[in-house]
Amino acid sequence: LAALGQDTPAVWRVGTEPAFPPFEMKDEATGAFVGFDIELMTAMAEAAGKEAQFIGLPFDGLVPAIQGKSIDAAISGMTITADRALTVDFTRPYFEAGLAIAVRESDSEIKSFEDLTGKRIAVAIGTTGAAKASSVEGATVRQFDNAPLALQELINGNVDAVVNDLPVTLYAINEANLTGAKIVGELVTEEYYGIALPKGSALLDEMNTALGTVIQDGTYAQIYRKWFLS
Ligand code: ARG
């Protein structure tokens, strides 16, 4: 039965936290989910002869929802970590990212991760950035529901830095008119995004195969160009 795909659903219920542009966001006019992850998952579903239905959830609610099986999978710029892999399965990596430090444009003091000691740092709740920031000695870490809110707090002058995924902070500065912030220093981490599923899910093979298909047939490259190179 597994080989015939009869034990996998015709509609994939896919969770995502949609305030992470350009990976996932809500179109202001229509309320529809849009972004790189959304188009990738939609293309994967099509390749598998299935349909993807997106469900918005808080980022720290995604893993619990997967465990509770109220969703079949999550695509949310989610980093594959050893910790998360204890409770969910991941597909093969589909995107290389990493954490970057953002500070105010006028800041000449913070130039590297080491300079964050004793500073006020904003992060998005439940993320690898939050975990990394909590390892900084003497720092005050403030958690926000999502990355745009953390970045806004930096602009407002209420924190000294934001630790967040490089492609998302870059997009905010270059494409989303976030003025007054800059990225400093080297990448703090190297991370790979994966799609998370319940442990032992029959969908894992189906999604890995679909991901391979859209990478090989050029669909992935086309979606990548649209969101990152134009
Ligand atoms: N890559 C980071 C992590 O896995 C942040 C992901 C946040 N994604 C989102 N859609 N809000 O922790």
Side-chain angles (χ1 to χ4, degrees), residues 16-28 30-39 54 75-76 148 168 171 175-176 226-228:
T16 191
E17 190 289 304
F20 203 59
F23 292 94
E24 39 266 336
M25 51 211 167
K26 284 250 184 129
D27 181 274
E28 274 170 34
T30 66
F33 293 94
V34 295
F36 176 85
D37 282 351
I38 305 302
E39 288 189 15
F54 296 95
I75 190 163
S76 205
V168 171
Y171 188 87
E175 311 288 338
K226 170 173 171 184
W227 291 100
F228 294 101

Side-chain angles (χ1 to χ4, degrees), residues 72-220:
D72 300 307
I75 190 163
S76 205
M78 188 183 286
T79 302
I80 300 170
T81 68
D83 243 29
R84 289 173 181 156
L86 294 173
T87 51
V88 297
D89 280 347
F90 283 102
T91 59
R92 64 185 271 193
Y94 69 87
F95 200 94
E96 184 180 352
L99 296 173
I101 302 162
V103 300
R104 274 183 299 284
E105 233 161 29
S106 56
D107 190 316
S108 54
E109 206 187 317
I110 301 172
K111 297 191 196 69
S112 70
F113 189 71
E114 286 66 43
D115 297 333
L116 292 177
T117 305
K119 300 292 186 201
R120 302 167 302 172
I121 309 170
V123 297
I125 197 160
T127 61
T128 51
K132 194 71 195 169
S134 71
S135 75
V136 177
E137 202 185 319
T140 305
V141 179
R142 297 194 35 217
Q143 316 231 22
F144 291 85
D145 284 347
N146 57 54
L149 289 174
L151 288 165
Q152 191 52 51
E153 199 69 356
L154 175 68
I155 303 305
N156 293 349
N158 299 326
V159 294
D160 307 305
V162 172
V163 179
N164 183 49
D165 299 49
L166 175 68
V168 171
T169 299
L170 261 185
Y171 188 87
I173 293 173
N174 295 335
E175 311 288 338
N177 303 315
L178 180 80
T179 51
K182 65 181 178 187
I183 290 169
V184 290
E186 312 267 301
L187 264 193
V188 178
T189 57
E190 190 184 335
E191 305 188 1
Y192 293 87
Y193 296 163
I195 296 157
L197 302 95
K199 280 265 174 214
S201 171
L203 262 184
L204 181 63
D205 279 352
E206 191 174 40
M207 285 200 175
N208 269 326
T209 301
L211 184 51
T213 301
V214 301
I215 289 171
Q216 265 170 26
D217 71 8
T219 306
Y220 180 101

Side-chain angles (χ1 to χ4, degrees), residues 43-83:
M44 284 169 53
E46 201 182 317
K50 301 292 174 75
E51 190 192 318
Q53 178 190 92
F54 296 95
I55 297 152
L57 287 169
F59 188 70
D60 61 354
L62 290 171
V63 166
I66 292 166
Q67 288 183 281
K69 305 206 172 148
S70 59
I71 53 177
D72 300 307
I75 190 163
S76 205
M78 188 183 286
T79 302
I80 300 170
T81 68
D83 243 29

